[in-house]
Amino acid sequence: MVLPIGRNRVCLFRLAVCLILCGISGCGYHFRGTGEPMGIYIPSLAIPVFASTSSSLGFEGDFTRIIREEFISHAKVPLVQEDEAAVVLCGEVHDIKTEPLSYSLVQNTVRGESTNYEVTNTRWLRVTLNARLLDRGSGKIIWEDKAMEEKAVFSVGTDPLANRCSQRKAVQEIANILAKKIYLKTMERF
């Protein structure tokens, strides 16, 4: 049976509206701009200094500060001392590794012998951590991720202080990325 042209347009229009509405509803996930957690009540939150089992020490304060700033700037949940908090966000850095990324070939002549050797220009910095959100009253773990990992690149030169500064900036970049992931796991619940 062939439908008149006007009727085809109406059917196509209805089909298009239906597809658009289905597309808008999507999978059900959405971001809340309110700064309040979804699916959980968090009256107060503590974020103690992240621990480290890594042999690279001295970055724990940067990590903790950046994660706290993420919650302070977006969440309406008050940050309090651990003994006053209803919920505690704990973290432990398992591993910090650096791996060469790019090299330069340097030629050196000593006593008439020419030698080529590689000099690292940039390195990967890779951080792996365990983070968990704990209900202090019941001791129940709300969420836990034992293998959060991020990496960043930093430049390497002949000056050890400049290298340390570049590496610290890479740690801060990684902490910013992980802070956003932790915030979303806590507040947006996915």
Side-chain angles (χ1 to χ4, degrees):
M1 174 178 174
V2 177
L3 297 174
I5 292 176
R7 205 159 177 200
N8 279 342
R9 286 186 183 160
V10 170
C11 288
L12 287 175
F13 177 75
R14 287 181 182 163
L15 178 63
V17 169
C18 183
L19 290 173
I20 290 170
L21 290 175
C22 288
I24 290 173
S25 65
C27 63
Y29 286 116
H30 63 281
F31 290 102
R32 279 174 63 147
T34 64
E36 295 174 8
M38 289 178 65
I40 185 173
Y41 175 63
I42 302 177
S44 59
L45 175 68
I47 306 174
V49 175
F50 273 40
S52 175
T53 58
S54 169
S55 60
S56 300
L57 299 175
F59 60 87
E60 296 89 349
D62 283 342
F63 252 82
T64 306
R65 176 185 52 80
I66 290 169
I67 292 167
R68 285 176 180 165
E69 286 173 356
E70 182 71 20
F71 279 85
I72 290 168
S73 65
H74 298 298
K76 291 183 179 175
V77 176
L79 289 183
V80 297
Q81 296 296 321
E82 189 171 353
D83 60 344
E84 300 170 7
V87 177
V88 180
L89 175 63
C90 303
E92 181 179 88
V93 176
H94 289 289
D95 201 16
I96 293 184
K97 291 182 183 176
T98 61
E99 303 165 359
L101 177 62
S102 68
Y103 301 92
S104 293
L105 191 59
V106 176
Q107 187 176 41
N108 197 4
T109 305
V110 178
R111 295 185 185 172
E113 284 286 319
S114 183
T115 306
N116 293 326
Y117 60 94
E118 296 174 340
V119 175
T120 305
N121 294 329
T122 57
R123 297 183 71 85
W124 280 113
L125 178 68
R126 188 178 316 267
V127 175
T128 307
L129 65 87
N130 173 20
R132 71 184 168 280
L133 190 66
L134 177 71
D135 182 317
R136 225 178 107 236
S138 68
K140 178 184 169 194
I141 294 174
I142 298 167
W143 66 261
E144 182 171 27
D145 190 337
K146 293 184 178 183
M148 294 185 87
E149 183 177 286
E150 279 301 325
K151 62 183 180 177
V153 175
F154 68 98
S155 59
V156 179
T158 57
D159 182 356
L161 291 176
N163 294 343
R164 182 70 180 143
C165 182
S166 293
Q167 186 174 6
R168 184 173 184 192
K169 286 179 184 176
V171 166
Q172 291 171 346
E173 181 182 333
I174 291 169
N176 277 314
I177 294 167
L178 289 171
K180 287 175 183 15
K181 287 182 177 183
I182 290 169
Y183 177 84
L184 288 175
K185 275 184 158 310
T186 303
M187 303 299 284
E188 300 293 341
R189 307 292 297 137
F190 65 95

